[in-house]
Amino acid sequence: MPETGAAQADPEHFLQIEDPGVQQLVGYKTTIDRRDGSCLVTLDLEPPHLNRHGILHGGIVATVLDVVCGNTASQFFDPKNHAPLVTVSLTLSYVAAARAGRVSATARVTGGGASIAHVLGELVDAEGQLLATATGVFKRIKR
């Protein structure tokens, strides 16, 4: 998965998601590789992303992992039209702390069917150190 700039330069192969609301509030970037349905969510850490101990807030970790897992599930259901869905459950394990720099999340579908997808996600820092993992269940919904 390329960095955001490369994705913007190749819209045939990469979809840059621009959602109103929480994406604008938190500031993460979401890129989908149309060739294989993979998703990358990146966030450049700033003071508002940190807790009172100066480390990445657990709620921000949960948000980023929910976004990457949900977008990955959406691509599993419908790679061309980015299927709408809701999170049924999301379980997180916090492994290490981050204080600065860029964090990146990726995910993969581990099972599912026509309306339910099971997804495993990981969040790493710029050096590739694992920060957190997530397991999620996502349900496709009708528009």
Side-chain angles (χ1 to χ4, degrees):
M1 181 74 64
E3 290 297 319
T4 303
Q8 291 172 340
D10 187 5
E12 180 182 343
H13 293 117
F14 300 100
L15 173 63
Q16 190 74 41
I17 304 289
E18 297 293 338
D19 288 329
V22 76
Q23 181 180 9
Q24 303 307 310
L25 179 67
V26 176
Y28 56 83
K29 304 289 183 210
T30 305
T31 306
I32 294 173
D33 186 330
R34 294 177 188 227
R35 297 169 297 184
D36 64 8
S38 62
C39 180
L40 173 68
V41 176
T42 59
L43 175 65
D44 293 321
L45 299 184
E46 297 179 8
H49 300 129
L50 308 179
N51 66 18
R52 63 187 170 143
H53 307 295
I55 60 176
L56 179 57
H57 191 284
I60 301 294
V61 170
T63 297
V64 169
L65 283 167
D66 185 48
V67 169
V68 76
C69 289
N71 278 290
T72 299
S74 180
Q75 291 303 110
F76 168 75
F77 292 129
D78 188 351
K80 290 187 172 47
N81 297 309
H82 203 64
L85 53 76
V86 293
T87 305
V88 175
S89 69
L90 187 69
T91 303
L92 293 115
S93 294
Y94 298 92
V95 177
R99 297 180 185 282
R102 174 172 286 182
V103 296
S104 301
T106 57
R108 64 182 173 85
V109 174
T110 58
S115 64
I116 295 287
H118 296 260
V119 182
L120 176 65
E122 293 186 341
L123 181 71
V124 299
D125 66 14
E127 288 75 43
Q129 178 183 7
L130 183 64
L131 301 175
T133 62
T135 56
V137 177
F138 298 85
K139 181 173 179 43
R140 184 177 187 169
I141 59 172
K142 295 177 182 174
R143 287 188 190 221

